């Protein structure tokens, strides 16, 4: 404080031509003494006279006190007069209440911000299961409640909360140590004073509890004055908060320049000198010199003593006192340079720096804003608190026995939300050698939701996999959400991806294979057709009506080709024509087969003079069967297209995780009529061919037609259950296979025997052989 006032008085920028003075009152950490000093300041007399000032000049402001319990009664009295008070160490949150303490300000941060900083630190390392040990005091209980709320709002839980009595109780200490040994929590937050903590740490170190990470507040974390090395081992790797320790330029040199002869009015220098150098001043020569003591000569040098003890830049209160003095000085300076007419008071008036009211200076202090000698911004918010900035320290113990606190981060409450905490992970030395884990339950793997265990806190949970078609809610990992209808979860069930679109395409092996088979069989049929054209005048071709054979071959070629319409992405056109084309072409095939069968029956009936069918031979009945039967199917198809035609649709349910583009057949009744009519033609052809099987073999196709119809019927009877039991593109593949198989059955059963004779045994392809009775090779 003395150094700060000297700096102000020596500065030409602050209060030029004005000298600041000060008075010191020792409160002795006692509330009563604090109140006595306050009464002396206000009245000017040792015997306090309320509301009377027995001297002309009052001090402008009061700096102090240190403990909150002393600052509170002072602030209540000074608040009545709006007398400025700036504390450098009182951190109790209640002092921010301007209703109770209207003239109280402080350069020490509100203790509540320690709780915010610890909660953010716990969240940063994802420690969701922590224990709390606190002092049995109002500040301890209120701070713990605030800390608990902050941790729980960040998704964490409190494993246990233990209270240390203000007065040593070994029973409580042993109980807490027993809790520490049993708990699964790795991180222990300690919000207590040093004197409360030492007994606990002694017992904890005796029980070799070294697997915990201790997180301490500024009330104990900035000291290493523990009595036993085992305690330091237990605390190795712990983290602590410390209010900002700023540098005061020139202060160290000022301390080294102190000398009793230089400050004759200083009551404390001689006492300090005697303690520092272990000597006695000659002024006290009446007192016998004790054995081992020496006289103080004044030639002792302060720079020869242990600087680690007296380097006060290590202590936060030094920096806070310096800021308090400069805040008052800058406020007085603003009052000093005020221009009448532009002042902050009534009608722009200014206050007289030599004769001002306490509330006038209080106004200026509340609005002061400056950079201190360390370059840090200093100002007070509406609660009289300064900007919150804390250092995060890591306690490190080395094998050689040395130890130190290492700066590993900071907490700046004025930073943008989410950027308040900065951690230097590479500088942290953990007791376990790695970042510790402190959780009740391990994190759930991807695609699993949290299911809280009955009777437990939310941090203790089991992992339940999300159901099919669901992903983990990104905003709430305790529930799964269903993907939209057109999307499906990825393999980790983290995000919904667009469902792949599926249809039987030419690019995939199945589609390519079916298309190639269809084309090859069509070419094979075309080859047979060319062979029959080339051999059209031979008896084997002319038998059983060669025109119908040509028409049947052309129909079979179209049957093979119509299967290609089923391959590729369905659209409105392909959906409308594929079943119609398939139905009409197959109806032509079956009509031709029925006509060929009728031809056989009529021809052989003509040879029987007693047959009633002889008169029908000349009417060319078979040539009327094909168009008439086909027209019926065409009529059904036209009605189908007119009433409820097929259309393409996206089927979300056919296959899991896939969108199937398929053709909806529209009217299932009309579709069934088309298929039913083909079944009727096939059944009729099979029945007629079966009845004609006993006619003379040398000129009879009935047996081959019977076999072909059996193959045809077998394929399509098998097709129905196979078609109904498949989904997606495999339904289309089944129908294509049925078309190819049934068409190939007709081709092989009807035309293979004739091709065999034409190509392998041409001698059998003669009129004499056909009319003869030797038909063994048939």
């Amino acid at each position: 404080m003395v150094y700060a006032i000297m700096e102000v008085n020596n500065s030409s920028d602050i209060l030029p031509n004005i000298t600041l003075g000060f008075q010191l009152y020792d409160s002795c950490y006692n509330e009563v003494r604090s109140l006595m000093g306050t009464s002396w300041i206000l009245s000017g007399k040792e015997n306090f006279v309320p509301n009377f000032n027995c001297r002309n000049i009052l001090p402008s402001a009061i700096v102090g006190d240190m403990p909150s319990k002393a600052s509170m009664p002072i602030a209540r009295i000074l608040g009545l007069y709006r007398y400025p008070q700036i504390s450098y160490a009182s951190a109790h949150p209640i002092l921010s209440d301007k209703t109770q303490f209207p003239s109280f300000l402080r350069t020490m941060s509100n203790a509540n911000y320690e709780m915010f900083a610890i909660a953010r630190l716990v969240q940063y390392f994802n420690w969701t299961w922590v224990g709390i040990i606190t002092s049995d005091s109002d500040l301890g209980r209120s701070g713990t409640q605030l800390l608990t709320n902050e941790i729980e709002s960040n998704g964490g839980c409190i494993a246990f909360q233990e209270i240390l009595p203000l007065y040593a109780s070994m029973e409580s200490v042993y109980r807490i140590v027993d809790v520490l040994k049993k708990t699964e929590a790795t991180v222990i937050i300690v919000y207590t004073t040093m004197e409360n903590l030492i007994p606990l740490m002694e017992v904890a170190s005796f029980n070799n509890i070294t697997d915990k990470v201790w997180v301490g507040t500024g009330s104990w974390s900035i000291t290493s004055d523990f009595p036993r090395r085992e305690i330091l081992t237990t605390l190795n790797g712990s983290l602590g908060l410390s209010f900002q320790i700023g540098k005061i330029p020139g202060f160290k040199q000022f301390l080294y320049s102190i000398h009793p002869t230089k400050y004759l009015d200083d009551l404390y220098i001689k006492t300090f000198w005697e303690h520092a150098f272990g000597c006695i001043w000659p002024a006290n020569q009446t007192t016998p010199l004790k054995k081992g003591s020496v006289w103080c000569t004044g030639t002792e040098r302060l720079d020869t003593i242990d600087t680690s003890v007296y380097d006060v830049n290590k202590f936060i209160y030094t920096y806070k006192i310096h800021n308090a003095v400069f805040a008052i000085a800058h406020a007085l300076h603003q009052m000093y340079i005020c221009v009448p007419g532009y002042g902050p008071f009534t009608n722009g008036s200014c206050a007289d720096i030599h004769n001002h009211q306490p509330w006038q200076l209080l106004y200026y202090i509340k609005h002061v804003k400056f950079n201190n000698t360390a370059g840090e911004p200093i100002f007070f918010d509406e609660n009289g608190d300064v900007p919150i900035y804390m250092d995060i320290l890591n306690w490190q113990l080395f094998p050689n026995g040395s130890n130190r606190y290492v700066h590993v981060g900071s907490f700046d409450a004025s930073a943008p939300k989410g950027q308040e905490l900065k951690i230097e992970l590479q500088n942290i030395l953990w007791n376990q050698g790695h970042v510790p884990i402190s959780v009740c339950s391990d994190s759930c793997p991807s695609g699993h939701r949290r299911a809280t265990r009955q009777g437990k806190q939310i941090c203790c949970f089991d992992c339940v996999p999300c159901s099919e078609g669901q992903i983990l809610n990104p905003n709430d990992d305790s529930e799964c959400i269903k993907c939209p209808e057109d999307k499906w979860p990825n393999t980790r069930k983290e995000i919904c991806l667009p469902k792949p679109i599926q249809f039987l395409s030419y690019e995939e092996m199945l589609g390519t294979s079916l298309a190639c088979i269809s084309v090859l069989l069509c070419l094979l049929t075309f080859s047979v057709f060319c062979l029959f054209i080339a051999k059209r005048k031979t008896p084997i071709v002319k038998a059983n009506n060669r025109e119908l054979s040509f028409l049947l071959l052309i129909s079979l070629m179209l049957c093979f080709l119509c299967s290609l319409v089923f391959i590729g992405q369905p659209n409105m056109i392909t959906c409308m024509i594929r079943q119609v084309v398939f139905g009409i072409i197959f109806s032509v095939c079956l009509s031709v087969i029925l006509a060929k069968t009728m031809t056989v029956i009529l021809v052989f009936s003509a040879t029987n003079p007693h047959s009633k069918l002889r008169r029908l031979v000349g009417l060319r009945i078979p040539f009327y069967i094909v168009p008439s039967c086909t027209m019926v199917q065409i009529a059904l198809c036209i009605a189908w297209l007119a009433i409820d035609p097929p259309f393409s649709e996206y089927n979300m349910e056919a296959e899991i995780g896939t969108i199937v583009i398929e053709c909806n057949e529209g009217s299932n009744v009309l579709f069934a009529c088309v298929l039913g009519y083909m079944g009727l033609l096939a059944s009729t052809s099979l029945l007629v061919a079966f009845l004609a099987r006993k006619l003379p073999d040398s000129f009879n196709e009935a047996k081959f037609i019977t076999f072909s119809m059996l193959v045809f019927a077998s394929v399509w009877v098998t097709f129905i259950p196979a078609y109904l039991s498949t989904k997606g593109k495999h339904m289309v593949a089944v129908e294509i296979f049925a078309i190819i198989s049934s068409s190939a059955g007709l081709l092989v059963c009807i035309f293979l025997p004739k091709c065999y004779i034409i190509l392998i045994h041409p001698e059998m392809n003669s009129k004499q052989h056909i009319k003869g009775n030797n038909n063994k090779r048939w």
Side-chain angles (χ1 to χ4, degrees):
M1 181 175 179
V2 173
Y3 177 69
I5 291 177
M6 288 179 57
E7 280 190 300
V8 172
N9 290 338
N10 293 332
S11 173
S12 59
D13 298 326
I14 304 176
L15 298 174
N17 302 319
I18 292 180
T19 302
L20 294 182
F22 62 90
Q23 290 179 319
L24 295 178
Y25 292 86
D26 190 355
S27 63
C28 302
Y29 286 89
N30 185 283
E31 298 95 315
V32 176
R33 296 278 298 181
S34 298
L35 286 173
M36 289 175 59
T38 304
S39 64
W40 294 343
I41 292 172
L42 293 177
S43 65
K45 295 182 64 177
E46 290 191 11
N47 295 322
F48 177 51
V49 181
N51 296 320
F52 282 91
N53 179 16
C54 300
R55 60 182 172 185
N56 294 328
I57 300 177
L58 282 175
S60 297
I62 290 179
V63 177
D65 199 348
M66 182 177 177
S68 297
K69 64 180 182 178
S71 291
M72 288 182 190
I74 296 174
R76 293 187 190 278
I77 293 177
L78 296 182
L80 299 174
Y81 303 96
R82 297 300 189 268
Y83 201 100
Q85 175 190 3
I86 303 179
S87 174
Y88 54 88
S90 299
H92 200 293
I94 198 174
L95 288 168
S96 293
D97 185 354
K98 295 301 102 178
T99 303
Q100 298 186 59
F101 310 102
S103 62
F104 178 86
L105 305 99
R106 53 185 165 188
T107 53
M108 170 63 74
S109 301
N110 186 329
N112 279 348
Y113 284 98
E114 282 189 295
M115 303 300 101
F116 298 140
I118 291 176
R120 286 287 292 113
L121 188 66
V122 168
Q123 183 186 25
Y124 177 86
F125 288 108
N126 199 28
W127 294 329
T128 58
W129 191 242
V130 299
I132 298 177
I133 300 175
T134 183
S135 292
D136 187 14
S137 63
D138 290 341
L139 184 59
R141 283 188 289 269
S142 62
T144 300
Q145 184 61 47
L146 178 61
L147 177 61
T148 300
N149 293 339
E150 285 296 312
I151 291 177
E152 290 179 348
S153 66
N154 292 334
C157 299
I158 307 302
F160 65 86
Q161 181 178 318
E162 295 293 334
I163 297 177
L164 269 174
L166 291 177
Y167 302 100
S169 169
M170 294 311 296
E171 181 182 351
S172 298
V173 169
Y174 284 121
R175 174 177 51 79
I176 294 174
V177 169
D178 189 53
V179 171
L180 292 174
K181 291 164 67 175
K182 294 178 180 178
T183 183
E184 296 179 359
T186 305
V187 175
I188 312 299
I189 300 171
V190 182
Y191 188 44
T192 181
T193 58
M194 183 69 176
E195 56 269 25
N196 291 138
L197 184 61
I198 289 177
L200 174 64
M201 297 312 302
E202 286 181 334
V203 178
S205 62
F206 180 77
N207 284 270
N208 197 30
I209 300 178
T210 58
D211 59 340
K212 306 297 182 185
V213 176
W214 305 83
V215 179
T217 59
S219 58
W220 68 270
S221 67
I222 60 171
T223 180
S224 59
D225 297 333
F226 289 101
R228 297 170 58 237
R229 175 179 171 81
E230 288 79 7
I231 296 180
L232 302 182
T233 303
T234 301
L235 290 173
N236 186 33
S238 63
L239 298 175
L241 297 181
S242 171
F243 291 104
Q244 185 181 21
I245 304 174
K247 297 290 184 180
I248 304 177
F251 187 41
K252 188 173 184 179
Q253 291 73 20
F254 168 74
L255 287 179
Y256 285 155
S257 70
I258 291 176
H259 196 275
T261 60
K262 191 174 182 180
Y263 300 99
L264 299 177
D265 297 331
D266 195 317
L267 303 176
Y268 304 108
I269 286 186
K270 286 188 176 182
T271 303
F272 160 73
W273 203 273
E274 290 179 344
H275 282 283
F277 295 105
C279 62
I280 300 175
W281 281 102
N284 297 327
Q285 289 183 11
T286 56
T287 303
L289 190 66
K290 294 181 180 180
K291 186 178 180 179
S293 299
V294 296
W295 299 112
C296 296
T297 63
T299 60
E300 295 85 1
R301 295 175 57 86
L302 289 174
D303 57 2
T304 61
I305 62 178
D306 186 1
T307 57
S308 65
V309 178
Y310 295 103
D311 186 0
V312 294
N313 278 326
K314 290 184 176 179
F315 302 100
I316 59 173
Y317 300 143
T318 304
Y319 183 66
K320 303 301 183 183
I321 293 171
H322 190 269
N323 288 339
V325 172
F326 266 82
I328 296 171
H330 277 276
L332 288 170
H333 182 74
Q334 292 299 317
M335 182 188 292
Y336 178 64
I337 63 174
C338 179
V339 178
Y342 297 93
F345 307 116
T346 306
N347 298 323
S349 61
C350 297
D352 182 2
I353 192 171
H354 298 290
N355 186 22
H356 62 269
Q357 296 297 318
W359 60 267
Q360 293 175 316
L361 178 59
L362 179 62
Y363 172 86
Y364 280 104
I365 294 177
K366 286 182 175 180
H367 293 84
V368 74
K369 189 171 185 179
F370 65 97
N371 289 338
N372 61 15
T373 53
E376 300 291 338
I378 302 296
F379 59 90
F380 299 98
D381 61 18
E382 65 274 10
N383 297 320
D385 297 327
V386 292
I388 309 301
Y389 189 93
M390 297 181 189
D391 294 323
I392 299 174
L393 309 175
N394 177 224
W395 177 254
Q396 299 180 0
L397 180 66
F398 302 99
N400 61 3
S402 62
N403 55 77
R404 64 172 179 170
Y405 264 117
V406 177
H407 182 277
V408 294
S410 61
F411 178 82
D412 185 0
S414 62
K417 187 172 180 61
Q419 302 178 22
E420 303 95 339
L421 188 68
K422 294 182 179 178
I423 297 293
E424 301 166 7
L425 280 174
Q426 69 278 6
N427 294 334
I428 300 179
L429 183 63
W430 301 106
N431 207 8
Q432 298 90 340
H434 57 83
V435 178
I437 298 173
S438 188
V439 297
C440 181
S441 300
D442 293 330
S443 299
C444 290
S446 299
H448 290 68
R449 65 176 179 86
R450 296 190 311 173
T452 304
R453 296 170 186 166
Q454 188 172 5
K456 301 291 185 179
Q457 298 187 60
I458 61 171
C459 298
C460 302
F461 52 83
D462 297 315
C463 296
V464 179
C466 291
S467 301
E468 198 171 65
Q470 293 184 334
I471 63 169
L472 188 66
N473 189 340
N475 300 319
D476 183 4
D477 57 4
S478 64
E479 70 169 0
C480 299
I481 56 176
K482 190 175 180 63
C483 286
E485 192 177 28
D486 61 339
K487 294 186 177 181
W488 193 254
N490 62 347
T491 54
R492 296 170 61 87
K493 293 189 176 182
E494 293 175 329
I495 56 174
C496 292
L497 301 175
K499 287 182 179 179
I501 295 177
Q502 184 190 85
F503 55 88
L504 187 61
S505 67
Y506 289 101
E507 286 76 19
E508 59 182 305
M509 181 62 68
L510 180 60
T512 303
S513 301
L514 292 174
C516 291
I517 293 172
S518 299
V519 172
L520 289 175
L521 289 175
C522 179
L523 293 176
L524 178 62
T525 307
F526 181 73
S527 301
V528 174
F529 178 74
C530 293
L531 178 64
F532 272 51
I533 291 292
K535 303 293 183 178
R536 63 185 179 278
K537 295 183 180 180
T538 61
I540 197 69
V541 176
K542 294 170 66 177
N544 298 106
N545 199 325
R546 63 185 173 187
E547 289 80 8
L548 290 178
S549 297
F550 294 156
L551 182 57
L552 179 58
L553 287 170
I554 294 173
S555 300
L556 288 174
M557 282 191 287
L558 294 177
C559 284
F560 288 123
L561 292 178
C562 80
S563 63
L564 299 179
V565 184
F566 288 79
I567 305 174
Q569 181 171 344
N571 54 52
M572 184 181 68
I573 301 299
T574 56
C575 286
M576 290 180 67
I577 66 173
R578 67 182 190 176
Q579 297 289 8
V580 171
V581 170
F582 156 67
I584 293 174
I585 292 175
F586 258 78
S587 295
V588 172
C589 287
L590 295 172
S591 301
V592 171
I593 292 172
L594 179 60
K596 287 175 71 66
T597 308
M598 292 298 296
T599 300
V600 173
I601 293 175
L602 291 176
V603 168
F604 283 101
S605 297
T607 61
N608 185 356
H610 303 289
S611 175
K612 297 180 181 179
L613 298 177
R614 292 185 62 185
R615 74 182 90 176
L616 299 177
V617 173
L619 299 179
R620 299 178 62 86
I621 295 297
F623 289 95
Y624 297 108
I625 292 176
V626 174
S628 58
C629 291
T630 304
M631 289 303 297
V632 174
Q633 185 70 290
I634 292 175
L636 286 173
C637 290
I638 292 174
W640 184 14
L641 294 178
I643 296 173
D644 192 1
F647 57 90
S648 64
E649 67 174 1
Y650 290 86
N651 191 334
M652 309 289 184
E653 308 296 333
E655 293 193 18
I656 296 175
T658 304
I659 298 177
V660 178
I661 304 180
E662 62 183 13
C663 290
N664 187 311
E665 306 305 343
S667 175
N668 291 324
V669 174
L670 290 173
F671 179 47
C673 290
V674 170
L675 295 180
Y677 181 70
M678 287 191 293
L680 177 63
L681 290 178
S683 301
T684 305
S685 299
L686 175 62
L687 178 61
V688 174
F690 180 77
L691 295 176
R693 72 189 187 284
K694 295 182 179 180
L695 296 176
D697 290 341
S698 61
F699 199 69
N700 186 6
E701 280 187 313
K703 285 187 177 181
F704 304 121
I705 293 175
T706 302
F707 287 133
S708 67
M709 286 295 97
L710 286 173
V711 171
F712 184 90
S714 300
V715 169
W716 286 101
V717 168
T718 308
F719 159 78
I720 294 174
Y723 184 81
L724 296 177
S725 62
T726 54
K727 295 181 179 180
K729 64 181 181 181
H730 298 101
M731 291 179 65
V732 181
V734 167
E735 186 168 0
I736 294 174
F737 181 78
I739 293 172
I740 294 174
S741 300
S742 58
S743 301
L746 296 178
L747 177 66
V748 171
C749 291
I750 295 177
F751 292 98
L752 181 61
K754 296 181 180 181
C755 292
Y756 176 78
I757 292 174
I758 293 173
L759 297 175
I760 305 302
H761 293 284
E763 72 278 3
M764 297 175 64
N765 189 9
S766 64
K767 195 172 183 180
Q768 293 77 14
H769 180 79
I770 293 175
K771 289 183 177 181
N773 295 323
N774 185 12
N775 51 13
K776 294 181 181 179
R777 294 185 178 178
W778 282 70

